[in-house]
Amino acid sequence: MYLMMTWINLTLRGLMELGIVIAFAQWGYHMGKTTGFSVLLSITAPLVMFSIWSLFDFRNVVSTPEPFRLVQEMFISLLAAVAWYISGHRMLGLALAIISIIHHIMVYALGYKLLQ
């Protein structure tokens, strides 16, 4: 049962991360005024977001406190859910928020930490 829950949680994590990338790409496309600019924004928006995220991801540099990491991940998920909402995909934004919350609850319920 524990192994199955771990795999379910890893699947949720993958869905969450995929949803975040697609949300920022969709938001970038939605913000463009022309097709060319929309395509450019749909490529650069996720790259910029993850570049900014990596600046605050100190996993390999210093020890990041677990509460900070949780807030960081929830904030990124919230921004992605808002990006879905702004793009006109309200249900996808809600689904991403729910998946993110369930994933983070399961991390701690299974006795893991985000930085393992």
Side-chain angles (χ1 to χ4, degrees), residues 11-13 15-16 94-104:
T11 302
L12 287 175
R13 175 74 183 201
L15 287 172
M16 182 185 77
L94 180 62
L96 179 62
I98 291 169
I99 287 171
S100 179
I101 290 168
I102 292 171
H103 161 69
H104 287 93

Side-chain angles (χ1 to χ4, degrees), residues 26-98:
Q26 175 65 26
W27 174 82
Y29 190 83
H30 181 74
M31 291 285 112
K33 301 294 184 206
T34 65
T35 303
F37 193 57
S38 292
V39 170
L40 179 67
L41 283 176
S42 71
I43 294 168
T44 57
L47 291 175
V48 169
M49 191 61 201
F50 282 105
S51 296
I52 293 169
W53 188 1
S54 70
L55 292 175
F56 298 103
D57 188 5
F58 301 113
R59 180 183 303 192
N60 296 324
V61 180
V62 296
S63 177
T64 305
E66 187 70 15
F68 177 73
R69 180 64 180 206
L70 176 62
V71 169
Q72 175 192 19
E73 287 195 9
M74 293 302 291
F75 182 71
I76 296 294
S77 295
L78 173 67
L79 286 178
V82 169
W84 275 122
Y85 188 85
I86 290 171
S87 299
H89 301 284
R90 290 167 179 81
M91 293 307 291
L92 290 174
L94 180 62
L96 179 62
I98 291 169

